[in-house]
């Protein structure tokens, strides 16, 4: 799309963006009438701003007359790029309005307009009256987020593909589903142009450009999260419940706890959704016969939990769990402590690394532990290699095969269906772009600054073979994230949290030996490592949390 100055944009009369995907639906007169009871009508002149990039807690706008355009602010001179134009009956807004983050686009009246503004708290009331309307809005916002990501809207990250800090910033934006445009110093001519425009020396990269003007030089993930509104400051001295880990189990617990009136704060060291959010398609989750992406499932859960009052703080990395004056104290890497009557641990697991020659050199640029839309765009039209035989590896292989011409799937045994769901194994077998290497392991990564080849070792013949690949996806099993609990909560021999009778301490299935501390999902010893199981555990555990709080006289 073209870039124009603000004055040029005000003079241009652009047609309404067609709705080809469901991202820009038109509301019915009945739906508009319903929203009118919860909103305020406003008349705005041409060129007026409805909301600006960086705003938080702004409302949804329904266009009653005229046209509104959504733009991305691009440069230090006020240049903007038009992303969409909305006419009568369409609504203007972004997913950030429902998740509590800062919006990354600006909405401007293209003509004189009449709009209906519905603030977030009132919108929550409105959609309880019409479930279909609420789902329509949420679905549209999720689709718009995907479209904007494809257009390169949102954050701009400028840095070298060989920089570990560039990778860190890209991964943080990707895992939090924040649209961003990466300009590679090594290959993207736009990167040098942008650096000159902002007068940034190359040795000060990576940089993040926000709202077309604000420049952050190699920010920490915490600084970036604060800018985007991902970290909520504690609003009380002690919470009823702190949920540590925002995967499916933690999100389910947050929804049920908040819906039952418990003051709830949710922490995660990286992003909401956990490992599940990296899944390109979850096809065996109840209620979604056509499947649902892990990212959409996570976003829907966050919106639902926030609707009931849960608070999210990302990143919020728990480093310790202690007790003081009858409360549980969760220490954070970011320097704060959170105090609560009860704690629910849902930190899940982390994929294991491959300890191979070349890994330390190339991990920052070419080795991945998730296969999301962002990684797929980086690997477009290039051969890639996936290591692992479970569902995560199978889903990643099928997802990457949509864009990569060759996907090498490496497994150490012969039976693809041994650790992978049958439907997924069949899909892998049928894909003409996926080559399964059986009885094989990766034994070396080859390349100076970026991965060029992997060496494969046949475990039966002992022969080796080099295979061209530009990215390695490692999905080989996982270890529980419980190192921060050592010495505080009993763990099994593999590091998973012992609960209930297994911990020889409580009849409550999800309570640990320390009263008031619970564990659910993949991090719990004996759990079924499955999204649906984690969701079930997270919801059921809240009943036990309630019983504990009532017994202690804290509710």
């Amino acid at each position: 799309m073209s870039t124009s100055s603000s004055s040029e944009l005000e003079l241009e009369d652009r047609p309404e963006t067609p709705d080809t995907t469901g991202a820009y639906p038109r509301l019915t007169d009945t739906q508009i009438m319903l929203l009118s009871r919860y909103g305020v009508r406003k008349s705005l002149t041409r060129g007026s701003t409805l909301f600006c990039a960086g705003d938080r807690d702004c409302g949804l706008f329904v266009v009653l007359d005229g046209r509104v355009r959504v733009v991305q602010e691009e440069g230090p001179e006020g240049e903007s790029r038009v992303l969409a134009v909305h006419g009568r009956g369409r609504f203007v807004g972004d997913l950030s309005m429902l998740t509590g983050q800062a919006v990354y686009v600006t909405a401007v009246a293209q003509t004189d307009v009449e709009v209906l503004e519905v603030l977030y708290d009132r919108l929550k009331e409105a959609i309880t009256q019409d479930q279909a309307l609420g789902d329509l809005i949420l679905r549209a916002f999720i689709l718009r987020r995907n479209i904007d990501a494809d257009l390169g809207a949102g954050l701009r990250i400028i840095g070298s593909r060989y920089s570990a800090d560039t990778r860190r910033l890209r991964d943080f934006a990707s895992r939090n589903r924040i649209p961003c445009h990466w300009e590679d110093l090594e290959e993207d001519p736009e990167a040098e142009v942008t650096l000159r425009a902002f007068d940034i020396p190359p040795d000060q990269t990576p940089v993040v450009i926000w709202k077309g003007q604000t420049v952050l030089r190699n920010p920490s993930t915490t600084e970036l999260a604060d800018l985007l509104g991902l970290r909520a400051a504690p609003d009380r001295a002690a919470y009823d419940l702190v949920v540590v880990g925002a995967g499916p189990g933690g999100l389910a617990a947050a929804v049920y706890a908040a819906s039952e009136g418990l003051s709830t704060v949710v922490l995660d060291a990286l992003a909401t959704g956990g490992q599940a959010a990296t899944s390109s398609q979850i096809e065996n989750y109840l209620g979604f016969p056509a499947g649902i992406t892990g990212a959409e499932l996570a976003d829907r859960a966050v919106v639902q939990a926030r609707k009931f009052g849960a608070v999210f703080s990302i990143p919020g990395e728990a480093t310790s769990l202690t007790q003081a004056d009858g409360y549980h104290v969760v220490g954070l890497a970011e320097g704060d402590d959170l105090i609560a009557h009860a704690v629910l641990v849902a930190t899940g697991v982390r994929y294991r690394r491959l300890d191979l020659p070349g890994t330390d050199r190339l991990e920052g640029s070419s080795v991945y532990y998730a296969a999301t839309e962002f990684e797929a765009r980086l690997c477009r039209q290039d051969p890639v290699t996936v290591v692992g035989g479970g569902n995560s590896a199978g889903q990643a292989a099928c997802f990457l095969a949509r864009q990569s011409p060759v996907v090498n799937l490496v497994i150490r045994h012969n039976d693809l269906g041994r650790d992978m769901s049958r439907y997924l194994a069949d899909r892998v077998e049928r894909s003409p772009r996926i080559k399964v290497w059986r009885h094989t392991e990766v034994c070396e990564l080859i390349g100076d600054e970026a991965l060029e080849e992997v060496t494969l070792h046949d475990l039966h013949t002992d022969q080796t073979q080099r295979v061209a690949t530009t990215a390695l996806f490692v999905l080989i099993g996982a270890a529980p994230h419980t190192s921060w609990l050592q010495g505080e909560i009993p763990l099994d021999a593999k590091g998973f949290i012992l609960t209930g009778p297994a911990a020889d301490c409580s009849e409550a299935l999800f309570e640990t030996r320390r009263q008031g501390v619970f564990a659910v999902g993949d991090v719990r010893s004996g759990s079924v490592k499955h999204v649906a199981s984690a969701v079930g555990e997270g919801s059921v555990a809240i009943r036990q949390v309630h019983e504990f709080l009532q017994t202690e006289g804290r509710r």
Side-chain angles (χ1 to χ4, degrees):
M1 292 190 176
S2 62
T3 299
S4 310
S5 68
S6 297
S7 59
E8 290 174 328
L9 284 173
E10 289 176 3
L11 295 175
E12 294 175 358
D13 186 17
R14 298 201 179 196
E16 186 177 61
T17 305
D19 182 23
T20 58
T21 63
Y24 309 123
R26 201 177 308 280
L27 300 178
T28 65
D29 290 341
T30 301
Q31 290 170 330
I32 293 174
M33 185 178 300
L34 170 63
L35 289 173
S36 295
R37 299 203 297 266
Y38 297 89
V40 177
R41 289 175 178 257
K42 294 183 176 181
S43 296
L44 303 174
T45 59
R46 180 176 181 173
S48 298
T49 300
L50 284 70
F51 55 80
C52 291
D55 286 351
R56 301 180 191 177
D57 302 319
C58 46
L60 176 85
F61 288 87
V62 179
V63 182
L64 303 176
D65 190 35
R67 284 194 295 276
V68 173
R69 61 177 47 172
V70 177
V71 302
Q72 163 91 49
E73 299 172 8
E74 296 249 301
E77 303 301 323
E79 302 93 339
S80 298
R81 178 168 55 132
V82 177
L83 301 175
V85 177
H86 300 287
R88 186 188 182 283
R90 299 248 287 246
F91 55 90
V92 184
D94 174 70
L95 184 62
S96 300
M97 296 175 174
L98 303 182
T99 58
Q101 302 167 15
V103 296
Y104 55 89
V105 292
T106 297
V108 181
Q110 180 172 281
T111 64
D112 291 345
V113 298
E114 184 178 2
V115 295
L116 175 69
E117 182 181 16
V118 186
L119 297 178
Y120 173 69
D121 286 340
R122 298 290 284 164
L123 181 62
K124 287 194 298 182
E125 296 179 45
I127 60 179
T128 60
Q129 305 299 317
D130 188 334
Q131 183 179 352
L133 173 61
D135 195 64
L136 175 75
I137 293 172
L138 177 57
R139 181 63 177 155
F141 281 172
I142 291 173
L143 290 171
R144 291 180 192 184
R145 179 64 61 93
N146 294 335
I147 290 172
D148 290 347
D150 289 338
L151 293 174
L155 293 175
R156 296 173 72 185
I157 299 175
I158 305 173
S160 169
R161 65 173 57 198
Y162 307 125
S163 164
D165 283 320
T166 299
R167 169 72 179 272
R168 171 179 57 82
L169 294 171
R170 283 168 32 204
D171 285 352
F172 185 76
S174 171
R175 289 295 300 273
N176 283 283
R177 283 87 67 192
I178 303 297
C180 72
H181 176 62
W182 170 47
E183 296 176 16
D184 183 8
L185 281 176
E186 311 301 327
E187 295 186 359
D188 193 340
E190 291 183 14
E192 187 174 346
V193 174
T194 303
L195 291 181
R196 283 204 210 100
F198 285 91
D199 195 25
I200 302 170
D203 60 5
Q204 292 186 8
T205 58
V207 297
V208 173
I209 298 175
W210 171 242
K211 300 194 298 184
Q213 296 181 346
T214 303
V215 177
L216 284 74
R217 288 168 167 79
N218 194 18
S220 67
T221 50
T222 300
E223 290 172 326
L224 186 55
D226 286 336
L227 184 76
L228 299 172
L230 293 172
R231 298 183 72 237
D235 59 358
R236 59 188 66 218
Y239 287 89
D240 291 324
L241 178 66
V242 171
V243 178
V244 185
L251 290 174
V255 169
Y256 282 88
S259 69
E260 295 185 18
L262 299 183
S263 59
T264 305
V265 61
V266 185
L267 311 173
D268 198 279
L270 182 59
T272 56
Q275 297 289 356
T278 67
S279 176
S280 58
Q281 194 78 349
I282 301 172
E283 297 187 64
N284 55 356
Y285 190 76
L286 183 67
F288 295 92
I292 184 172
T293 68
E296 181 173 346
L297 185 65
D299 284 336
R300 285 178 173 270
V302 171
V303 171
Q304 191 174 12
R306 285 196 75 246
K307 180 180 74 171
F308 293 121
V311 175
F312 288 80
S313 187
I314 311 291
E317 181 178 3
T319 56
S320 63
L321 177 63
T322 56
Q323 288 180 295
D325 300 324
Y327 293 91
H328 299 286
V329 181
V330 178
L332 302 182
E334 292 73 22
D336 302 318
D337 289 338
L338 283 175
I339 300 173
H341 297 296
V343 174
L344 186 142
V345 181
T347 47
V349 295
R350 294 182 175 179
Y351 284 113
R352 294 187 174 93
R353 296 175 70 250
L354 280 177
D355 187 14
L356 301 173
T359 299
D360 291 340
R361 183 178 69 256
L362 297 170
E363 190 168 40
S365 64
S366 307
V367 181
Y368 301 92
Y369 298 91
T372 68
E373 289 283 356
F374 184 77
E375 285 83 18
R377 284 194 292 270
L378 292 178
C379 303
R380 186 176 290 138
Q381 302 306 317
D382 293 324
V384 301
T385 298
V386 177
V387 182
N391 281 352
S392 295
Q395 289 169 346
C398 291
F399 176 61
L400 294 167
R402 298 177 190 173
Q403 299 191 48
S404 297
V406 177
V407 177
N408 300 293
L409 179 59
V410 180
I411 61 175
R412 293 175 57 87
H413 50 82
N414 183 57
D415 183 9
L416 196 60
R418 191 188 78 176
D419 303 314
M420 191 181 297
S421 296
R422 188 69 258 168
Y423 80 91
L424 192 55
D426 290 342
R427 188 170 301 167
V428 169
E429 296 277 17
R430 291 196 304 267
S431 174
R433 293 187 172 188
I434 300 176
K435 180 175 182 179
V436 181
W437 297 78
R438 292 175 167 83
H439 298 299
T440 303
E441 64 182 3
V442 176
C443 61
E444 184 181 11
L445 310 186
I446 301 168
D448 293 328
E449 293 181 307
L451 184 63
E452 297 173 1
E453 295 178 310
V454 295
T455 301
L456 302 182
H457 173 221
D458 189 307
L459 298 173
H460 275 185
T461 67
D462 202 34
Q463 294 181 337
T464 60
Q465 179 178 346
R466 285 189 174 189
V467 176
T469 190
T470 61
L472 179 69
F473 293 84
V474 181
L475 304 166
I476 57 171
H481 180 40
T482 54
S483 58
W484 63 287
L485 294 171
Q486 292 287 349
E488 297 291 336
I489 301 295
L491 310 175
D492 69 12
K494 295 182 178 180
F496 292 92
I497 299 175
L498 293 167
T499 62
D504 193 26
C505 60
S506 172
E507 292 302 318
L509 178 59
F510 303 112
E511 191 171 22
T512 69
R513 189 172 297 174
R514 178 177 293 183
Q515 287 191 327
V517 178
F518 303 80
V520 301
D522 290 1
V523 76
R524 189 178 69 85
S525 179
S527 68
V528 178
K529 309 310 188 225
H530 196 282
V531 171
S533 298
V535 170
E537 290 191 7
S539 58
V540 173
I542 296 306
R543 174 47 49 197
Q544 297 176 12
V545 172
H546 258 300
E547 291 172 356
F548 164 76
L549 294 176
Q550 290 170 351
T551 300
E552 296 294 310
R554 298 177 183 181
R555 289 295 294 175

